[in-house]
Each structure stands twice: as C-alpha cells, then as structure tokens.
Amino acid sequence: QVQLVESGGGLVQAGETLRLSCAASGTISTPNAMGWYRQGPGDKRDLIAIINNVGGTNYGDVAKGRSTISRDYTKNIVDLQINDLNSDDAGVYLCDFVDLSGPYQVYWGQGTQVAVSS
C-alpha cells in the first residue's frame, strides 16, 4: 500500500506560480512513477506531468509549456510548478503513484483545491 499526501494549492493570483508537493509513504517499489493530474467535469483526470523513478518525464496537454515536475527520490516527494496561472488552471489537483513492480497498481492522493483570483 502507498499513501499520498498533497500540499500546496489554495488561492493563487493570476499570473503567479503554483507550487504543489506530494509525499508518498508505505511500500515504495521500483520501477514506479509519480504524477500530477487535474480533475475536471465528470471527475475526468487529465495528465499534467508524470516522472518515473529514473527521471524520465512526460507532460500532458494541461498547462503544457508552463509546468515543471521534479522529484526527490530520497524522500519520495514529487513537486509540480505551474507558471503564469490563469483561470483555466483552477480545479482539484491530484497526485498519483504507479507501482510498476508487478501487476499495474495506481494509488491516488485526496487532492488539493486550487483557486485562481484575478
């Protein structure tokens, strides 16, 4: 089992930078990946970025060109930074951990709400 705790978020001014952090604990197997998603209407989760345990990254279409994902492997923390926030960036941001050591298994955090003020 893997537990995820997200932090950051809240109210951010338009044009400023959003910084989110997600800490994983529990049974951390490798290979694995950690990622950030934004939840939209109908609970659809759109990929922002994902990073695996050897530093490989993949960015989705959400906030593309404005987002950066990074990871502290010693602490199992994944950080997300999104620059130049706008109203479309508001929503619930979720962190996930993908265990690739055996049968594909995904764990999700509770999510953190982000609001953007103009």
Side-chain angles (χ1 to χ4, degrees):
Q1 287 285 328
V2 176
Q3 296 79 42
L4 298 167
V5 178
E6 296 115 333
S7 59
L11 181 63
V12 185
Q13 285 272 78
E16 292 191 346
T17 297
L18 172 68
R19 292 181 177 85
L20 301 175
S21 189
C22 174
S25 61
T27 304
I28 307 297
S29 302
T30 56
N32 62 58
M34 295 183 73
W36 281 98
Y37 294 74
R38 189 172 71 208
Q39 187 166 293
D43 292 340
K44 183 173 177 287
R45 295 174 180 180
D46 294 315
L47 174 69
I48 301 171
I50 193 163
I51 184 168
N52 65 23
N53 60 295
V54 293
T57 59
N58 186 40
Y59 288 85
D61 291 333
V62 175
K64 196 163 192 173
R66 297 185 292 122
S67 59
T68 303
I69 192 168
S70 59
R71 188 168 170 179
D72 182 333
Y73 295 93
T74 62
K75 299 177 182 176
N76 292 308
I77 292 174
V78 62
D79 294 321
L80 177 71
Q81 178 174 306
I82 301 179
N83 300 322
D84 193 19
L85 240 59
N86 59 62
S87 57
D88 291 338
D89 294 315
V92 177
Y93 285 71
L94 297 112
C95 168
D96 83 333
F97 179 94
V98 184
D99 186 341
L100 301 167
S101 66
Y104 183 91
Q105 198 154 6
V106 183
Y107 301 90
W108 291 95
Q110 292 294 312
T112 184
Q113 182 80 46
V114 173
V116 181
S117 66
S118 55

